[in-house]
Amino acid sequence: MKQLVRLAWRSIWRNRRRTLLTVGSMAAALALAVYFLAIAEGMYGRLLYQVLRMQAGHLTVENAQHLDAPSIDLRLSGVPTLRARLQDLPDVAITKELIVGPGVANSGDGAVGVAIAGVEPSVEASLSPLIHRLVAGSYLEDGDERAVIVGAELSRRLDLEVGNKLVLSSNDVDGQLVQQMVRIKGIFKTGSLDLDGHYVQIPIGFARTLFSMRPDEATQIGLLLHDPDQLSTVQRQVAGMIASNQRVAVWPWQKIMPELSSFMKVDKGSNYVLQVIILLMAMFTIFNTILMSALERKREFAVMLALGTSPTRVKLQLLVESVILGVLGCGLGVLLGSGMALATDGISLESIMGGGFDVAGFLVDPLLLAKLTPRITVGLGGAMVVIVALMSLVPMGRISRINVTDAFR
Amino acid sequence: MATLRILLLTLLACLLLPASALAKDKLTAREILDKVDDTYRGRSARGQMRMKVVNPNYKRELVMDFWSHGKEKSLVRIVEPKKERRTATLKNGNNIWNYLPKVNRTIKIPSSMMGGSWMGSDFTNDDLVKEHRMADDYAPKITFDGSRGGQKVIEITCTPKPNAPVVWGKLVVTVRAQDYLPVRIDYHKERGGLARRLTFSNYEQLGGRLVPTTMTMIPRDKPGHSTVVTYEKLTFDVSLPANLFTVASLRSGR
Amino acid sequence: MNVLRIAWRNLWRNGPRTAITGAAVALNTAVLIVTIGLTQGMLETTVKSLTQMSLGEAQVHAPKYREERRFHNTIQNPEAILRAAEEHGIGATARSYGAGLASVGAKSSGALFWGVDPARERAVFDLAGQVQQGSYLSEKPPPPNADGDVVREVVLGHKLANALQAQVGSELIAVVQAADGSIGNDLFLVKGILKTVSSDVDRSAAILSQRDFAELFVSRGLTHEIALQSGGRLESTAIVDAVRESAGQNEVLTWQELAPSTAQMLEMFGALMAIFGLIFGLAAGTGVMNSMLMSTFDRMREFGVLKALGATPWRIVRDVAGEALVLGLFFGALGALLGGLANYYLSVHGINLGTGDDLLLAGVAFDPFWKSTMSAEAIVGSLLLMGVVCVLSALYPAFKAARLDPVVAMTEP
């Protein structure tokens, strides 16, 4: 075996130019593929990370009717007990309580329809991307009561600054008109017009006051998992826990935010199509090379056969040569691609893109992020090696048909 | 004996008179504000008013019947123009309903419409809910007591109470010194700047009281806009049916 | 011409080698054409879905209407604009907008009421076909109902319908501030509910016929917007030019100005696609170059012999270039044919990205089928590229051979 490998190795390097060209093409194609896939993984991961932390997490527990026709009166009760039980599940990292409802923000300069989110300040502070996007004032703290966080666009429309008051009006769980005065504690800017113009956060205790909810009531309990791949397992566990209560349901984030789920599918889909095309082209070239080389070495093979080498041995040598080429090319490609990914990780595209842009109301960061997974590096690289090996089958087949005497002509 | 009594009485009167005059001067800011709130109200009231709305887009003139009970309940029904006859607004506490005769339906005004104009005027639905409750939401202080433009007035600056759900930074209420009838209410934004001005005029006897029969609302940032309300008939403390201020009665068009 | 004929003959002297190299050229050309088609297709589809749904490629408004949305700020003399559009073969339709309250049963929600001309909408835009339940507004006024009352129809955005828990056939009460200050109100029959169109339409659109709108708002046919569409035939700037004179004081804007964030996203996307195209072009070119280099280097010995036989360096270069050109063009053409056919198939059927019917990207509905665009430029361009690459990549070894000592060349391994 070892001799075979040595022979194959020497044989490859006999035609340095061809070998370098082949390995080079493979490496370039694979590097590109690895790079784009890593960037995609990185950016989805980031988007999901941010969105889930701002919304209700990987899994949301809420009133069963709330999903189809959201209304403030469709709420959960007995929340603290349920939450404690959910927190006990091993895969659950964090639980959070949310109250969400529509309302109007009023100032002396006008009124704007808003989505009101009642949050737990200390929990949100450790999770929410909004913290990092404050442009004025500070975030909510436990113990705050009449404090509100608003977006830059809303504060502009209503001509308000930190410290100014606005009146939130809405209808409570009984349909009564309710109004409460709140003061702006902080202003955030995400770049998403939906959030900056129409999203406000207040402490959850005060939200209960506003909407006339009892202390044990909330709209949603959100679960953030340690490992997102455990989603369906945890979902089943939670479903079992709430099975006895018809009015409560648990949903995965894909159901709560179908647009986000779809966006990721699109991007992934189009990305894969493009990668396949890149790799196809590389494969043509490589196949081309291997075939060409086999053709040119007809005489060499004829000599070997004439000298008594078994056809199988010759074929094996060809195979080993291909595998070595494959490993060299794919290995180099994966290294190159990974290197590029790590080098550009974290580079901001802000100068090109301005702010981020909107996907279904969520903000996509103008950041290049890379995430290398074994599936990308080992998986892709390995697959290519196998394909290259398979491609040598054709020239291998031709060896049997070499007529020794003809070849010497 | 008789002379002594007359003397004592006169003395007493002399003592009491200035006291009552003094007592009159000493009406607190809070009491004045209460009076302003109750300008057109009583235990109950009813009457008819005319509202003229002018702005660059249209001119409107409505004649409306109204009934009220205390501060919390009121019912207004359009009499003229004929096209809008029987359209009505019911207010009970924080809630407002409109009756629409054309489709024969009642709708409850949701929070999203509270900032909207009432009957096309410069008053909002929210104003309807809040207009007679200044004393509830504001802490008043007398900031001027003297002569302005040849008239003796008292000016009260009202700052919102700590958690009051009002958008204004402050209200400046000016009343006539002699009878505490309102002259003007200025609505200021929190960051400064006059947003709108409500002026009272044409003080006449109506329903046994001296009231400013005309109210004019002029917004500051909309040139050419004004709403003038004139009270044409007014009676106080009448007896009203118990179920007048209900949604059912709103629809029946009584 | 002689050179080319000789080149052709020379090529086929080593059939297998030519075939293999040629196959590489053909396949790379085909793939390049398909890639260009797909990336162009993605861009075009997105622009189409933005402009052909209801936005149009250009719009006319009264000055400042877009910023302030004042009901009384209307377009003066809309007929002139509609006429001008028709003269240039541009589809146009007039619309009115007014905000108000929509109420079904116990549920109510703020809504934006549209007043449209159903026949024109159907003819010029795709929105009328995006009905998920029920159907779009009737073109002729519907007959009175069983009680002899006038029937007025409304079509709802699907999120609005959800919020109101409305279905086809539900009764909807509209309450608005009418143009004369009175409370405009009317009853409507829910005729249809739309599919996902755009985030604004989904959340707030309640579409009425112009006639019913005018009745509700007491507006006597005032117009807020004229939307123009040429189906991709004209550039948006050309459309603006066509109607600018008839628009007078009114503001005429292209779709890029109306939806700047989407336009920006598309521009960025376009740049990304151009980069991709370049990368693919390079990859394809490299693939071809690889083949050409190898096959030419492999013939070093042959060149050595030729030189030894007296061929001038120039002759060698010329021959090699000629062969490379013929190879490139012939197999490139083959590849172009293949690519063109594949592209055609993809332009009709597309690649299913599996995103379903209800994805919104930057506020616009996204087609789950990735369709390709056919373009002559893509084919011609790719062909030319291949030809040039073939020749260039054959020249390097050719020059080397031309200058080498024949003996050395003949003994190249």
Side-chain angles (χ1 to χ4, degrees):
Chain A
M1 195 34 160
K2 227 170 53 148
Q3 202 188 31
L4 203 62
V5 174
R6 253 191 310 139
L7 273 175
W9 180 263
R10 274 211 302 221
S11 155
I12 298 178
W13 289 109
R14 214 170 295 142
N15 191 333
R16 207 148 30 109
R17 213 173 351 242
R18 178 183 288 154
T19 302
L20 283 176
L21 273 173
T22 315
V23 168
S25 312
M26 252 193 278
L30 209 61
L32 273 177
V34 167
Y35 181 67
F36 280 119
L37 287 173
I39 295 282
E41 281 294 317
M43 293 186 77
Y44 301 144
R46 170 82 169 180
L47 179 63
L48 208 54
Y49 178 90
Q50 291 197 316
V51 171
L52 291 186
R53 269 154 182 72
M54 234 180 71
Q55 303 293 319
H58 296 100
L59 288 166
T60 305
V61 176
E62 60 176 23
N63 184 301
Q65 295 174 300
H66 188 261
L67 188 66
D68 288 326
S71 171
I72 195 68
D73 57 319
L74 297 173
R75 57 208 192 273
L76 297 170
S77 47
V79 169
T81 333
L82 182 57
R83 185 182 180 176
R85 290 177 66 201
L86 291 169
Q87 185 78 64
D88 277 339
L89 290 174
D91 286 307
V92 171
I94 302 180
T95 56
K96 46 154 84 179
E97 276 177 38
L98 290 170
I99 292 182
V100 289
V104 178
N106 301 279
S107 80
D109 279 284
V112 177
V114 293
I116 303 174
V119 301
E120 298 169 298
S122 47
V123 175
E124 286 296 309
S126 66
L127 295 175
S128 177
L130 279 188
I131 301 267
H132 305 291
R133 301 239 197 254
L134 288 174
V135 293
S138 58
Y139 196 68
L140 300 171
E141 286 161 331
D142 288 336
D144 279 344
E145 207 197 333
R146 288 175 182 275
V148 68
I149 305 289
V150 303
E153 180 61 21
L154 183 64
S155 72
R156 188 193 64 82
R157 287 266 299 271
L158 295 179
D159 195 24
L160 297 169
E161 285 174 352
V162 174
N164 287 151
K165 68 176 175 181
L166 55 86
V167 174
L168 285 176
S169 58
S170 183
N171 293 88
D172 69 4
V173 293
D174 300 311
Q176 298 300 311
L177 189 68
V178 287
Q179 290 183 328
Q180 292 287 354
M181 188 275 296
V182 289
R183 278 199 191 275
I184 296 183
K185 188 160 183 207
I187 300 179
F188 63 83
K189 188 172 158 94
T190 64
S192 155
L193 220 59
D194 251 355
L195 291 173
D196 291 349
H198 301 279
Y199 181 73
V200 303
Q201 280 189 344
I202 53 176
I204 195 170
F206 189 63
R208 288 199 174 94
T209 311
L210 177 66
F211 292 111
S212 310
M213 281 196 195
R214 292 197 312 267
D216 72 327
E217 290 179 327
T219 313
Q220 297 170 325
I221 300 177
L223 305 175
L224 274 157
L225 307 177
H226 288 295
D227 178 7
D229 293 329
Q230 294 302 314
L231 194 120
S232 17
T233 320
V234 182
Q235 188 178 347
R236 270 196 304 273
Q237 291 171 330
V238 176
M241 243 189 238
I242 59 174
S244 53
N245 189 339
Q246 296 284 38
R247 286 195 305 210
V248 180
V250 57
W251 309 115
W253 69 265
Q254 288 92 336
K255 259 207 120 155
I256 302 271
M257 293 180 283
E259 296 124 351
L260 187 62
S261 176
S262 293
F263 166 73
M264 288 179 51
K265 266 200 239 163
V266 170
D267 219 57
K268 270 196 181 145
S270 50
N271 206 6
Y272 276 121
V273 169
L274 290 171
Q275 302 320 319
V276 165
I277 294 181
I278 292 184
L279 294 173
L280 266 177
M281 290 215 278
M283 270 158 52
F284 292 153
T285 312
I286 294 158
F287 184 60
N288 189 307
T289 308
I290 292 181
L291 205 58
M292 186 85 83
S293 114
L295 254 168
E296 296 304 318
R297 294 158 70 194
K298 217 163 49 166
R299 207 190 226 185
E300 181 191 327
F301 294 140
V303 168
M304 287 171 77
L305 289 172
L307 286 178
T309 326
S310 76
T312 323
R313 198 91 205 277
V314 179
K315 286 185 195 176
L316 266 178
Q317 178 169 330
L318 204 61
L319 182 64
V320 174
E321 282 176 23
S322 303
V323 170
I324 295 179
L325 278 177
V327 169
L328 280 177
C330 294
L332 189 62
V334 169
L335 273 173
L336 212 62
S338 309
M340 288 197 306
L342 290 171
T344 56
D345 189 21
I347 292 186
S348 170
L349 293 176
E350 197 130 16
S351 46
I352 309 177
M353 280 177 62
F357 66 88
D358 232 280
V359 171
F362 305 110
L363 192 65
V364 177
D365 253 345
L367 270 184
L368 265 186
L369 287 165
K371 182 164 146 194
L372 292 165
T373 67
R375 196 163 56 106
I376 297 176
T377 50
V378 175
L380 202 56
M384 284 304 287
V385 174
V386 171
I387 292 177
V388 168
L390 285 175
M391 287 201 284
S392 60
L393 284 177
V394 173
M396 273 163 67
R398 302 202 58 156
I399 288 180
S400 336
R401 287 189 272 139
I402 293 180
N403 184 322
V404 175
T405 40
D406 279 344
F408 279 113
R409 259 229 241 112
Chain B
M1 229 2 37
T3 355
L4 192 60
R5 217 192 267 142
I6 294 174
L7 230 95
L8 273 171
L9 280 170
T10 327
L11 200 59
L12 211 59
C14 288
L15 285 170
L16 286 175
L17 218 51
S20 68
L22 236 60
K24 192 149 190 268
D25 275 354
K26 274 205 169 68
L27 212 54
T28 64
R30 170 73 201 229
E31 287 165 334
I32 299 178
L33 203 58
D34 272 329
K35 278 189 141 241
V36 174
D37 272 339
D38 288 334
T39 308
Y40 304 106
R41 304 235 151 183
R43 258 192 354 262
S44 64
R46 91 171 206 216
Q48 198 177 74
M49 60 173 143
R50 181 179 298 266
M51 184 164 79
K52 291 196 195 150
V53 182
V54 173
N55 61 48
N57 303 316
Y58 53 80
K59 286 198 197 347
R60 250 159 100 60
E61 192 162 324
L62 300 173
V63 177
M64 301 178 275
D65 285 336
F66 65 89
W67 301 257
S68 69
H69 181 88
K71 289 190 192 182
E72 293 305 303
K73 304 190 196 185
S74 71
L75 175 65
V76 179
R77 203 184 292 282
I78 297 183
V79 175
E80 274 172 40
K82 245 180 53 192
K83 187 174 82 110
E84 297 177 56
R85 186 197 289 262
R86 296 202 314 128
T87 307
T89 302
L90 169 69
K91 166 183 114 90
N92 193 338
N94 275 351
N95 298 297
I96 300 187
W97 294 260
N98 277 346
Y99 171 67
L100 310 164
K102 181 171 164 198
V103 298
N104 193 24
R105 297 280 193 287
T106 332
I107 57 150
K108 185 169 172 190
I109 305 286
S111 56
S112 52
M113 275 180 76
M114 287 304 282
S117 145
W118 179 70
M119 299 290 185
S121 73
D122 293 298
F123 293 101
T124 61
N125 287 309
D126 202 45
D127 286 334
L128 242 65
V129 166
K130 294 222 176 76
E131 65 182 330
H132 305 294
R133 294 216 302 238
M134 286 190 295
D136 288 350
D137 293 327
Y138 295 88
K141 204 165 71 143
I142 297 182
T143 46
F144 180 82
D145 186 347
S147 235
R148 266 205 196 130
Q151 204 187 17
K152 278 199 142 142
V153 295
I154 299 176
E155 180 190 271
I156 301 173
T157 302
C158 304
T159 354
K161 288 186 182 165
N163 295 328
V166 293
V167 299
W168 308 115
K170 70 177 180 201
L171 304 183
V172 178
V173 181
T174 312
V175 301
R176 302 206 306 191
Q178 76 246 44
D179 47 22
Y180 302 107
L181 289 179
V183 173
R184 192 165 75 223
I185 301 181
D186 284 343
Y187 297 79
H188 290 261
K189 297 191 264 199
E190 195 189 19
R191 307 216 312 164
L194 182 64
R196 56 187 199 172
R197 171 169 285 178
L198 184 61
T199 327
F200 299 82
S201 52
N202 295 344
Y203 300 87
E204 284 162 25
Q205 286 282 346
L206 208 58
R209 270 200 221 171
L210 184 66
V211 292
T213 54
T214 305
M215 267 195 332
T216 309
M217 175 67 93
I218 299 190
R220 266 326 200 196
D221 54 355
K222 297 190 213 163
H225 282 241
S226 72
T227 301
V228 181
V229 174
T230 313
Y231 285 87
E232 297 183 337
K233 295 188 200 147
L234 192 53
T235 354
F236 293 100
D237 298 331
V238 288
S239 81
L240 299 170
N243 63 353
L244 179 64
F245 302 100
T246 59
V247 179
S249 151
L250 185 66
R251 185 179 305 196
S252 70
R254 197 261 75 182
Chain C
M1 264 312 107
N2 222 12
V3 179
L4 292 177
R5 241 182 341 118
I6 294 178
W8 179 258
R9 263 213 319 236
N10 279 339
L11 276 178
W12 289 110
R13 213 170 285 155
N14 188 337
R17 177 197 291 148
T18 303
I20 295 173
T21 314
V25 172
L27 283 167
N28 273 319
T29 312
V31 171
L32 185 61
I33 290 176
V34 167
T35 310
I36 294 179
L38 281 175
T39 54
Q40 290 272 41
M42 175 72 93
L43 273 172
E44 273 189 25
T45 312
T46 314
V47 173
K48 263 209 186 117
S49 79
L50 178 67
T51 58
Q52 285 186 357
M53 187 60 73
S54 76
L55 185 73
E57 287 156 0
Q59 283 187 352
V60 184
H61 299 107
K64 289 219 172 163
Y65 177 75
R66 280 177 61 238
E67 291 93 346
E68 296 167 0
R69 300 265 154 187
R70 277 203 226 280
F71 190 80
H72 291 89
N73 193 4
T74 61
I75 298 179
Q76 306 305 315
N77 199 7
E79 299 79 25
I81 303 172
L82 291 173
R83 256 198 317 270
E86 201 169 315
E87 281 166 17
H88 286 87
I90 301 172
T93 177
R95 299 179 184 137
S96 320
Y97 297 104
L101 187 74
S103 183
V104 174
K107 300 266 181 189
S108 68
S109 168
L112 183 67
F113 293 96
W114 300 22
V116 304
D117 177 341
R120 265 186 191 262
E121 290 285 334
R122 250 210 196 93
V124 179
F125 288 105
D126 293 340
L127 186 60
Q130 295 298 309
V131 178
Q132 186 187 62
Q133 295 173 47
S135 53
Y136 197 68
L137 300 172
S138 318
E139 292 181 16
K140 297 242 173 345
N145 67 7
D147 299 324
D149 296 324
V150 176
V151 171
R152 302 190 201 277
E153 300 169 335
V154 64
V155 171
L156 300 174
H158 85 94
K159 284 205 176 128
L160 179 60
N162 260 4
L164 297 172
Q165 290 186 332
Q167 280 143 2
V168 176
S170 299
E171 177 187 83
L172 181 143
I173 308 171
V175 180
V176 305
Q177 176 158 12
D180 62 354
S182 63
I183 302 182
N185 57 94
D186 242 325
L187 291 175
F188 293 86
L189 179 74
V190 177
K191 183 96 191 294
I193 299 176
L194 298 170
K195 296 187 210 167
T196 298
V197 170
S198 71
S199 53
D200 289 332
V201 171
D202 291 352
R203 260 194 296 204
S204 65
I207 307 178
L208 315 171
S209 70
Q210 273 288 10
R211 196 192 47 246
D212 292 339
F213 183 94
E215 179 77 30
L216 176 65
F217 282 90
V218 193
S219 63
R220 275 174 296 151
L222 48 69
T223 304
H224 292 109
E225 176 178 282
I226 294 184
L228 304 157
Q229 235 272 84
S230 72
R233 195 170 50 88
L234 295 172
E235 283 295 323
S236 50
T237 40
I239 299 180
V240 169
D241 291 333
V243 300
R244 189 185 289 291
E245 214 190 298
S246 57
Q249 297 281 47
N250 297 302
E251 190 181 59
V252 189
L253 294 174
T254 59
W255 72 261
Q256 289 91 336
E257 290 164 318
L258 292 164
S261 56
T262 311
Q264 189 197 38
M265 189 197 82
L266 283 175
E267 234 183 79
M268 201 195 67
F269 198 61
L272 208 67
M273 287 293 134
I275 294 177
F276 260 131
L278 202 67
I279 293 178
F280 280 119
L282 277 174
T286 312
V288 167
M289 186 174 75
N290 190 7
S291 301
M292 288 304 302
L293 273 172
M294 274 192 317
S295 76
T296 315
F297 273 120
D298 287 340
R299 294 163 67 197
M300 270 312 180
R301 193 186 278 179
E302 189 185 318
F303 296 140
V305 171
L306 283 172
K307 266 204 106 172
L309 289 176
T312 64
W314 161 240
R315 165 106 190 255
I316 295 191
V317 171
R318 191 195 64 178
D319 281 351
V320 169
E323 283 167 34
L325 189 65
V326 171
L327 184 88
L329 288 179
F330 177 72
F331 285 98
L334 223 58
L337 188 67
L338 195 66
L341 284 171
N343 217 25
Y344 176 73
Y345 174 81
L346 284 175
S347 71
V348 172
H349 295 280
I351 301 174
N352 190 346
L353 293 169
T355 56
D357 268 339
D358 51 11
L359 172 62
L360 282 175
L361 205 56
V364 176
F366 190 87
D367 190 344
F369 284 93
W370 187 357
K371 295 221 177 101
S372 184
T373 322
M374 299 286 295
S375 84
E377 293 103 26
I379 295 183
V380 172
S382 304
L383 204 53
L384 278 174
L385 178 70
M386 285 305 148
V388 168
V389 167
C390 281
V391 173
L392 287 178
S393 45
L395 283 180
Y396 166 52
F399 273 121
K400 265 204 94 178
R403 283 180 299 147
L404 269 184
D405 187 283
V407 177
V408 174
M410 278 196 286
T411 49
E412 269 283 319

